[in-house]
Amino acid sequence: MILIVDSGATKSDWIALDEKGEQLFMTQTLGLSPEVLTREVIEDRLANNFELSKNKDIVSQLYFYGAGCGTDRMKNFLKEIFKDFFPNAKAEVREDTYAAIYSTTKIGHQGIVCILGTGSNCSYYDGHQLFQKVTSLGYILMDDGSGNFFGRKLLRDYYFHKMPQDLGMKFSKEYNLEADAIKENLYKQPNPNTYLATFARFIIENKEHPYCRGVIDKGLQQFVNNYIMQFELATKVPINFVGSIAHFLRDELATVLERNDLILGVIRRRPIEGLMEFHKETI
């Protein structure tokens, strides 16, 4: 059995294939980001999935693409966990950027590939190799234009009284904005980046409001400035995207890219199906 995994900070999509490339099952777990989770939490998330626990001994190959897997230390950390949980599997761990590339860009074709979901990232693909200009320092310092970026902006503006009153009242009715609850989730619970990203739903649902429209535009422009424009060929090749923010804000994204003379390519909400097709070709 072959397992293919696309793991974001919020959730992980799993597809199982047999040796002929036929799909056996699909399942989900919570995100498995090694940067923010302990070994025990990751092991629990694996063990609590029925399909994975039932089939763990017959998995022969695991292709894992995950957020937070950009360093050897994080890759090896996950490999050790997978070695114990899937005892007969050979595990390959790569950062989620490769999942974005393989699901949007054909081998041999150039493109800039961006992740805009809970977190954000951007790479140039020359048709064979991946190149990055920006090394991610995690959600606190990076992740421009992402779900947690917009969530942080909303919370800050609400507490600094910069959010319009009508929107602020609506915001406070939809979320628990007590300071103790926010600090509990940010500093004592796992996945603070995922918690921040939950607030992005509000800005998407209210994107026609002038305040939200302005925040979205500035956030996406910041992503373009700090990530995409790092590449010399930015205006010459398609800009492809994966992630929920790119999916739900595709019109706003298209406007920002057009303003910057950039070519909008493929937008996928989830890369897992494209990943499956990619790996089928290699079986």
Side-chain angles (χ1 to χ4, degrees), residues 73-84:
R73 186 170 68 88
M74 293 294 97
K75 291 175 186 177
N76 292 332
F77 172 69
L78 280 180
K79 282 183 179 180
E80 286 298 317
I81 296 174
F82 293 147
K83 181 180 179 181
D84 291 340

Side-chain angles (χ1 to χ4, degrees), residues 3 14 27 29 46 49-56 85:
L3 283 179
W14 300 68
T27 189
T29 64
L46 294 172
N49 183 279
F50 174 75
E51 292 286 359
L52 299 182
S53 294
K54 182 177 71 171
N55 295 288
K56 64 180 184 176
F85 191 81

